[in-house]
């Protein structure tokens, strides 16, 4: 409940829009950098997004029935982009 109150609605709306655009098969990959870019276009500051942990949305979506995994490169590893993998069970 506290996490829901700390994450601005615009964050959830951005994730929901991306899920709706890509969720035709029940599995959706959303890259962290694209979420941040969209939020910056809406006037949010990158530093504030990260400092306030506004991208820590996994528990909220899990409560809503999604399976959510987050993966990011280890320190010094630039082989892939950080991403969220969403899927609906069944």
């Amino acid at each position: 409940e506290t996490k829901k109150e700390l994450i601005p609605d615009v964050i959830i709306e951005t994730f929901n829009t991306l899920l709706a655009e890509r969720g035709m098969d029940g599995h959706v990959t959303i890259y962290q950098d694209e979420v941040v870019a969209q939020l910056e276009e809406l006037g949010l500051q990158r530093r504030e997004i990260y400092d306030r942990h506004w991208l820590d949305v996994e528990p909220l979506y899990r409560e809503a029935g999604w399976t959510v995994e987050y993966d990011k490169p280890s320190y010094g590893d630039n082989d892939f982009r950080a991403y969220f993998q969403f899927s609906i069970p069944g």
Side-chain angles (χ1 to χ4, degrees):
E1 195 64 34
T2 303
K3 190 59 125 171
K4 285 182 193 176
E5 295 169 10
L6 295 176
I7 297 177
D9 290 342
V10 69
I11 306 291
I12 303 304
E13 291 166 6
T14 300
F15 274 95
N16 287 346
T17 298
L18 291 166
L19 287 167
E21 289 174 358
R22 301 176 188 174
M24 297 304 166
D25 68 357
H27 299 280
V28 180
T29 300
I30 297 177
Y31 292 96
Q32 179 176 297
D33 58 355
E34 69 185 336
V35 173
V36 172
Q38 287 191 19
L39 294 170
E40 287 179 316
E41 287 178 15
L42 296 170
L44 278 72
Q45 299 297 314
R46 176 180 297 264
R47 183 173 183 103
E48 185 174 24
I49 292 166
Y50 288 113
D51 286 352
R52 294 182 181 255
H53 302 276
W54 285 343
L55 299 181
D56 294 349
V57 299
E58 300 96 305
L60 302 176
Y61 282 91
R62 287 179 184 135
E63 282 180 25
W66 290 86
T67 300
V68 184
E69 300 299 325
Y70 173 74
D71 199 6
K72 66 179 181 178
S74 58
Y75 183 77
D77 180 13
N78 294 323
D79 289 347
F80 69 95
R81 297 160 57 195
Y83 66 89
F84 299 85
Q85 180 69 50
F86 291 83
S87 59
I88 293 285

